[in-house]
Amino acid sequence: RYQALEGYAGAAYLCASTDNTGPVARVDAEGGVLNLRAKPSLNAVILLRIPDQATVDILKEENAWAKVCYQGTEGYVLRQFLQ
């Protein structure tokens, strides 16, 4: 259920740790992409690239980083690129 609508979503696009009531943010990568990393470090493995203006679920914020969920994948992004 989302607002007044009810439907189905593929499990690959859901994060187990979200309850759909947490904060969300829009990626502001100035027309580029935002790297979703395995750990909160610029040296960490890039799991995937999130397109500009995509929406992510914020799971946790710590210093310059945010742990987010994007299309079923959890990882870390720099907070400065979130609105």
Side-chain angles (χ1 to χ4, degrees), residues 42-55:
L42 290 175
N43 298 320
V45 171
I46 297 172
L47 302 173
L48 54 84
R49 289 173 169 80
I50 305 171
D52 189 37
Q53 300 303 307
T55 300

Side-chain angles (χ1 to χ4, degrees), residues 12-15 27 29 32-39 44-52 54-56 65 68-78:
Y13 297 100
L14 304 175
C15 290
V27 171
V33 294
L34 181 60
N35 293 328
L36 182 69
R37 297 182 179 272
K39 296 181 181 180
V45 171
I46 297 172
L47 302 173
L48 54 84
R49 289 173 169 80
I50 305 171
D52 189 37
T55 300
V56 297
W65 294 88
V68 302
C69 178
Y70 176 71
Q71 293 188 342
T73 302
E74 292 183 18
Y76 294 86
V77 298
L78 284 169

